[in-house]
Amino acid sequence: MASKVGIANDAFYKIGVERISRFTDQNPQARYANERYDKVLGMLLESHPWNFATNRATLTQNATAPTHQYNYKYLLPQGGVGTPRCIRVLEEINDYVFKQEGKYLVSDEETLQIVYTGFVSD
């Protein structure tokens, strides 16, 4: 399995730039890789419903309801032990109507179960 540094070095090699030993090296390439790696990974994960990054979750209602239009508000998975941060909702299990607003889903349904792409760093 490729490491983060290995992936970054593959990219540096392809563009003819000096490779790095670690993301904390004191050179422009390492600083750039450290700054951009997770952002680019997130964009790639969001661009396609990758099987390895697909997860399921039953969402918990937020104590604060939306101000209008929908009755319930649900916090999307934010990451943590065993639950990757949600970066793209793929579907709602029961085909209920919902809308994503920032890190929340809003809906008129009392429960929401979703399939989502989660941020996977391995």
Side-chain angles (χ1 to χ4, degrees):
M1 179 177 284
S3 68
K4 287 182 172 185
V5 170
I7 292 169
N9 279 331
D10 286 348
F12 292 144
Y13 175 78
K14 287 181 187 241
I15 61 172
V17 176
E18 182 182 331
R19 295 187 231 179
I20 62 175
S21 299
R22 61 190 71 78
F23 279 12
T24 56
D25 287 352
Q26 295 302 309
N27 60 49
Q29 298 90 295
R31 284 191 291 276
Y32 185 79
N34 189 39
E35 175 187 312
R36 299 289 302 160
Y37 186 90
D38 285 340
K39 292 175 187 175
V40 171
L41 176 58
M43 290 184 328
L44 288 170
L45 287 168
E46 189 176 4
S47 72
H48 181 77
W50 304 101
N51 289 338
F52 72 90
T54 300
N55 299 275
R56 294 174 179 268
T58 299
L59 302 182
T60 304
Q61 275 185 25
N62 191 284
T64 307
T67 57
H68 60 282
Q69 191 175 358
Y70 294 97
N71 293 320
Y72 304 104
K73 182 171 158 180
Y74 299 87
L75 181 65
L76 290 166
Q78 297 300 301
V81 178
T83 307
R85 175 174 51 94
C86 177
I87 57 175
R88 179 181 180 192
V89 177
L90 301 173
E91 67 178 290
E92 199 287 322
I93 300 297
N94 296 312
D95 292 325
Y96 293 135
V97 175
F98 69 89
K99 182 176 180 184
Q100 185 167 349
E101 296 180 349
K103 62 183 180 177
Y104 295 95
L105 291 185
V106 291
S107 176
D108 286 332
E109 302 305 322
E110 291 187 22
T111 60
L112 281 184
Q113 295 177 314
I114 62 168
V115 177
Y116 70 97
T117 299
F119 188 86
V120 176
S121 59
D122 291 351

